[in-house]
Amino acid sequence: MHESPSRPSSLSRRNLLGAAAAGAAAVGAPGVLAAPAAARGGGSPRRVPRDQISVQLYTLRNQLAVDLEGSLTELAAIGYTRVEHAGFVGRTAAQFRAALDNAGLRATSGHAGIPQPWNAETWKRALEDAAIVGNKFIVHPYFGTGPNGPIRDAAVYRAFAADLNKAGELARRAGLSFGYHNHHNEFLRQSGTEITGFDILTRETDPRLVHLEVDIYWAWRGAADPVDLIEKNRRRIKQVHVKDMDVNSSFADPGDGLIDFERVFRRAGEAGLIEYIVERDDAGSPPRTPAQALDTARVGYNYLTGLRY
């Protein structure tokens, strides 16, 4: 999803991963750069179903603050039928739902952090809002940093995994699918072991209660190949954030950067993937203008609808 206010705007390991991306370009490594058509094999090309394409509204947060109703209408004009929200832009859940309805959009998914420390009643209120908005999915958006920076204590991850299971059980009872969205900190090894935080979260949570929303950009930033994540978590990755990486390892509009989305999407059936969510964290932030986030939304939608793999 996005960077929390407590995190610096510059991303860690920028130079290292930028160099890695440049190296991949030099040798034509298939892990990041798009594979040539001849290397993809025969058969009819597949495409992303239009009704499974969404956009994370965090991408448009500055523009939505300027004009919520007009921006939602523009998203519908681009072709979107569904969105993933990250809060309600200063409205109540009912007011936000009304704005979506007026634009002809559905918020099939939403980001809402589970209470820390765990509080079931607080979480139930979040689930009630999700029901009002019409969510099918509700996703925890961020974990992995503490007061002293990135978490390296496996016990902290295990405790959080237990809370994710509790949240997932309550979501299941409310008729929602509960997911976890990664960034890059989860891919650090914990407590001097070979086990990453992401390993702990996926092993310690019940797949029936917690699905995965893999942010493809942040997985690469954490030096994790999304295809490897699919192989380790078959049928559990229901959603992905389609966010691209430029040559400096920062953000790019989908299709304009280094990430080989085709290679990932060819494993969609194995993953269990049913929602492709366009996102760019800095789409409408300085030096870009708020309205340029709509350009990103348009580029992302056109990229996904035009993709063959």
Side-chain angles (χ1 to χ4, degrees), residues 80-118:
Y80 289 101
T81 59
R82 59 173 68 191
V83 300
E84 180 178 59
H85 67 81
F88 303 131
V89 198
R91 274 70 166 179
T92 66
Q95 291 169 337
F96 190 75
R97 172 65 181 269
L100 290 168
D101 288 345
N102 288 338
L105 295 171
R106 296 175 296 139
T108 52
S109 184
H111 277 193
I114 68 172
Q116 293 290 284
W118 170 250

Side-chain angles (χ1 to χ4, degrees), residues 263-292:
R263 175 174 170 269
V264 179
F265 295 166
R266 284 197 292 270
R267 311 293 285 272
E270 183 181 352
L273 184 57
I274 55 177
E275 196 162 58
Y276 303 74
I277 305 169
V278 170
E279 187 182 36
R280 176 171 171 169
D281 292 23
D282 65 346
S285 301
R288 292 167 64 94
T289 66
Q292 284 182 281

Side-chain angles (χ1 to χ4, degrees), residues 34-35 40 259-267 303 307-309:
R40 297 172 194 158
I259 295 177
D260 183 355
F261 292 107
E262 297 175 33
R263 175 174 170 269
V264 179
F265 295 166
R266 284 197 292 270
R267 311 293 285 272
Y303 171 71
L307 193 63
R308 304 292 181 267
Y309 52 92

